[in-house]
């Protein structure tokens, strides 16, 4: 009894620490979201350039604009005046194209971009593109969600730099806005963009001129978030559920395996949620369905852990109710987790290797469950076909009479 009581106290302490850590981490990310990052806002950090010699009005006078280096030697100048936002992007240039995109969630798919280039014949071109998908054919010219003002957009080169200038009519001024920066080394053919040579995604604070984390840290955190989710929710927790359903005849080892495996899976799931909260504080990705389902699945997992301490004895009247609650809440958590993994990969624009890998993992789990379910059904059918008085494991006296 002492060992059981000690084991229960240890598990209660662990669950309490997990919940406390989740709450504290949520508060930390909320405070970080509210205060913002300091970052450079000074105009002195940008190059001094005479825009009057190559850009038309109203882009010539930049003395009143805020300027911030954003990526490599890219510089972003802007000013917000009422519902009008004037933006000038300066970037190194030789040939090809340069673009700046505006996204709701920091992802390329679904964003709108202003792209500028100088053609082979020296003609300046700047167009809005809607990035409907990841393929070149899904990048649509003269479409997008950016509301351009009546002032024509302009693009020009000055030395080894290209400058994209445009005005947006916004009903709500920009604040913290995910933006994408990219460039390609080939001229657009019939307004079809070639694949980018390099790209980045940042969160730019138009209210303060500061930038959020660069793409490398965000992409690495997003990748780790996905890996933890797939390992925890897609592999470890389903294995624990399979053991609990199909290996109960291996008593009591099945119970201890189930507890340990679900404990490890819960740890991975908790890490996934914590990383997701931190990623949201950096990227401010607008993914309410993904966030909501993730938190809901985590709550179900916590209820499953707590169910261990509410587990009644086998002869208890409420044991059947507890079995129903524990099994169906667990299945519900796994189903929502699987849906959320798919939503996460779709939102992140995951490549085919992620989709194929996760599909292969799900396929293995489904096939294993089907095979084990068939074997269990055959076993039950065999047991039902036995005579009622047949004793599988006879005990007591000798079965056959002995000779004298």
């Amino acid at each position: 009894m002492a060992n059981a009581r000690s084991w229960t106290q240890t598990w209660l302490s662990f669950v309490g620490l997990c919940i406390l850590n989740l709450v504290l981490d949520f508060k930390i990310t909320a405070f970080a979201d509210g205060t913002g990052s300091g970052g450079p806002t000074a105009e002195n950090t940008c190059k001094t350039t005479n825009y009057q010699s190559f850009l038309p009005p109203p882009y010539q006078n930049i003395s009143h604009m805020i300027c911030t280096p954003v990526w490599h030697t890219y510089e972003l100048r802007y000013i917000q005046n009422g519902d009008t936002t004037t933006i000038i992007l300066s970037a190194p240039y030789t040939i090809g194209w340069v673009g700046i995109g505006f996204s709701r969630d920091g992802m390329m798919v679904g964003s709108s971009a202003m792209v500028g280039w100088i053609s082979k014949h020296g003609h300046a071109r700047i167009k809005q593109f809607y990035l409907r998908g990841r393929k070149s054919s899904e990048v649509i010219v003269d479409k997008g969600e950016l509301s351009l003002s009546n002032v024509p957009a302009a693009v020009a080169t000055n030395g080894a730099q290209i400058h994209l200038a445009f005005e947006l009519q916004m009903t709500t001024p920009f604040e913290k806005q995910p933006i994408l920066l990219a460039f390609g080394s080939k001229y657009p053919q019939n307004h079809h963009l070639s694949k980018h040579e390099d790209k980045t995604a940042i969160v730019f604070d138009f209210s303060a001129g500061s930038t959020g984390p660069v793409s490398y840290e965000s992409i690495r955190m997003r990748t780790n978030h996905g890996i933890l989710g797939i390992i925890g929710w897609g592999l470890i927790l389903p294995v624990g559920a399979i053991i609990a359903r199909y290996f109960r005849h291996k008593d009591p080892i099945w119970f201890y395996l189930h507890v340990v495996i679900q404990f490890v899976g819960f740890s991975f799931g908790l890490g996934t949620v914590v990383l997701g909260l931190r990623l949201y504080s950096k990227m401010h990705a607008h993914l309410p369905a993904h966030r909501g389902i993730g938190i809901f699945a985590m709550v179900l997992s916590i209820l499953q852990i707590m169910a261990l301490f509410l587990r009644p004895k086998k002869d208890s009247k409420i044991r059947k109710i507890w079995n129903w609650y524990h099994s169906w809440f667990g299945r519900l958590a796994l189903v929502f987790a699987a849906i959320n993994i798919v939503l996460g990969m779709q939102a992140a624009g995951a490549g085919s290797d992620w989709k194929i890998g996760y599909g292969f993992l799900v396929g293995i789990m489904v096939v294993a469950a089907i095979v084990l379910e068939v074997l269990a059904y055959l076993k039950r059918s065999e047991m039902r076909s036995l005579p009622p008085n047949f004793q599988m494991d006879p005990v007591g006296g000798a079965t056959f009479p002995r000779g004298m």
Side-chain angles (χ1 to χ4, degrees):
M1 291 295 293
N3 291 335
R5 192 176 294 111
S6 176
W7 175 257
T8 302
Q9 290 175 352
T10 302
W11 270 94
L12 284 171
S13 300
F14 171 76
V15 173
L17 286 173
C18 289
I19 297 174
L20 180 62
N21 182 50
L22 186 63
V23 173
L24 289 177
D25 188 81
F26 180 79
K27 288 183 177 180
I28 290 172
T29 55
F31 288 143
D33 181 38
T35 57
S37 55
T41 62
E43 297 82 347
N44 299 333
T45 58
C46 293
K47 298 177 182 178
T48 302
T49 306
N50 182 15
Y51 281 72
Q52 294 181 355
S53 61
F54 54 87
L55 281 181
Y59 308 115
Q60 293 178 343
N61 184 13
I62 65 167
S63 59
H64 58 299
M65 283 186 157
I66 297 175
C67 181
T68 304
V70 286
W71 181 48
H72 298 325
T73 54
Y74 282 54
E75 296 174 353
L76 185 62
R77 289 177 170 85
Y78 74 96
I79 186 171
Q80 298 192 96
N81 185 11
D83 59 354
T84 301
T85 302
T86 305
I87 295 175
I88 301 177
L89 176 68
S90 303
Y93 184 76
T94 52
I95 61 173
W97 57 268
V98 171
I100 174 172
F102 296 80
S103 172
R104 290 191 179 92
D105 53 15
M107 309 303 170
M108 183 189 77
V109 176
S111 63
S112 302
M114 295 297 295
V115 180
W117 68 94
I118 307 298
S119 70
K120 293 180 180 179
H121 306 289
H123 300 299
R125 298 284 186 268
I126 182 168
K127 295 282 186 178
Q128 182 177 182
F129 289 82
Y130 178 64
L131 285 68
R132 187 175 62 186
R134 302 179 67 87
K135 299 179 181 178
S136 178
S137 60
E138 296 177 315
V139 180
I140 306 172
V141 66
D142 291 329
K143 297 291 183 181
E145 298 179 350
L146 298 177
S147 300
L148 297 173
S149 70
N150 295 327
V151 177
V155 60
T157 55
N158 181 47
Q161 281 194 315
I162 189 171
H163 306 270
L164 282 64
F166 53 95
E167 276 191 356
L168 301 176
Q169 293 289 131
M170 310 296 296
T171 56
T172 303
F174 281 132
E175 293 183 355
K176 287 186 177 181
Q177 169 66 42
I179 62 174
L180 314 173
L181 302 170
F183 67 89
S185 59
K186 297 180 180 180
Y187 294 110
Q189 298 292 332
N190 297 323
H191 296 153
H192 291 293
L193 299 182
S194 61
K195 186 177 180 180
H196 52 72
E197 297 294 328
D198 199 4
K199 62 180 176 62
T200 190
I202 65 175
V203 177
F204 192 87
D205 190 350
F206 282 87
S207 62
S210 62
T211 57
V214 296
S215 61
Y216 175 75
E217 181 182 356
S218 299
I219 291 174
R220 183 181 62 181
M221 187 177 296
R222 189 175 65 193
T223 302
N224 292 337
H225 174 70
I227 291 173
L228 285 178
I230 290 175
I231 292 177
W233 292 105
L235 176 62
I236 299 177
L237 290 173
V239 168
I242 287 174
I243 288 175
R245 177 167 176 79
Y246 300 109
F247 294 91
R248 287 178 177 267
H249 58 284
K250 302 292 185 181
D251 198 35
I253 190 172
W254 77 267
F255 175 75
Y256 296 113
L257 281 176
H258 177 67
V259 169
V260 171
I261 291 173
Q262 300 307 83
F263 164 76
V264 175
F266 174 79
S267 301
F268 273 83
L270 181 64
T272 304
V273 173
V274 170
L275 267 183
L277 292 173
R278 291 180 178 174
L279 188 62
Y280 175 75
S281 70
K282 292 179 179 293
M283 294 288 294
H284 302 279
H286 183 66
L287 302 171
H290 183 65
R291 291 185 68 216
I293 293 175
I295 294 174
F296 178 66
M298 192 65 214
V299 169
L300 290 177
S301 296
I302 293 174
L303 292 176
Q304 289 294 88
I305 293 294
M306 295 177 63
L308 174 67
F309 314 112
L310 302 175
R311 185 170 180 253
K313 296 181 179 179
K314 291 183 179 181
D315 57 352
S316 174
K317 295 181 179 179
I318 63 172
R319 181 58 181 260
K320 288 184 177 181
I321 298 176
W322 182 92
N323 287 337
W324 182 91
Y325 148 77
H326 186 58
S327 60
W328 283 103
F329 270 48
R331 292 166 186 167
L332 193 64
L334 291 178
V335 169
F336 275 97
I339 294 172
N340 213 31
I341 289 174
V342 174
L343 289 177
M345 288 193 295
Q346 182 179 0
S352 58
D353 51 346
W354 282 80
K355 297 176 182 178
I356 293 173
Y358 181 62
F360 182 73
L361 181 62
V362 171
I364 291 177
M365 293 295 169
V366 171
V367 170
I370 291 175
V371 171
L372 290 171
E373 188 68 32
V374 170
L375 292 176
Y377 174 78
L378 294 176
K379 185 67 175 178
R380 290 193 298 269
S381 299
E382 181 182 354
M383 292 293 294
R384 285 194 296 265
S385 64
L386 292 175
N389 58 351
F390 185 83
Q391 193 169 4
M392 291 293 296
D393 297 309
V395 293
T399 305
F400 301 99
R402 296 182 180 180
M404 298 297 295

